[in-house]
């Protein structure tokens, strides 16, 4: 019982964070404009913002302790759409990234 309480008290990302990240990724990738990603940063960020709105319910129904992880997911997906070249340099190959 004590072990269960200790494990429950640990602040680790819940499955909700992964589900939220999957939601964002799938919504962004499902957007027809992402077949050939727009060169315009504002257009790519509009796709990101639309995905955020669509996935907001997953975030609202989660633990308060996960807020920082949700913010990291948001920042990471935004970074990739905002500057794909920099994201590729930082995080690996993004072969389908729009060329500046």
């Amino acid at each position: 019982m004590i072990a269960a309480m200790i494990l429950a008290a640990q602040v680790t990302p819940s499955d909700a964070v992964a589900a939220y990240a999957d939601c964002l990724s799938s919504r962004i990738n499902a957007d027809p404009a992402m077949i050939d990603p727009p060169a315009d940063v504002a257009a790519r960020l509009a796709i990101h913002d639309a995905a955020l709105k669509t996935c907001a319910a997953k975030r609202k129904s989660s633990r308060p302790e996960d807020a920082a992880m949700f913010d990291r997911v948001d920042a990471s997906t935004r970074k990739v759409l905002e500057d794909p070249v920099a994201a590729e340099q930082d995080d690996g190959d993004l072969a389908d990234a729009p060329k500046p």
Side-chain angles (χ1 to χ4, degrees):
M1 171 107 168
I2 293 174
M5 290 173 54
I6 292 171
L7 288 174
Q10 291 179 350
V11 180
T12 57
S14 68
D15 291 340
V17 175
Y20 177 74
D22 287 342
C23 180
L24 281 181
S25 177
S26 65
R27 292 297 179 168
I28 290 167
N29 290 331
D31 192 296
M34 291 305 288
I35 292 171
D36 184 21
D40 181 45
V41 173
R44 293 192 308 269
L45 292 180
I47 294 166
H48 180 261
D49 292 344
L52 288 176
K53 289 178 186 173
T54 302
C55 300
K58 291 187 182 301
R59 185 175 177 151
K60 286 182 183 176
S61 64
S62 67
R63 303 178 320 176
E65 297 87 14
D66 289 335
M69 288 302 297
F70 284 113
D71 291 343
R72 288 181 185 164
V73 169
D74 291 346
S76 175
T77 55
R78 182 178 176 87
K79 176 182 172 184
V80 169
L81 291 171
E82 191 172 54
D83 191 351
V85 174
E88 181 176 355
Q89 290 172 348
D90 290 345
D91 302 322
D93 183 28
L94 297 174
D96 60 350
K99 307 301 182 240

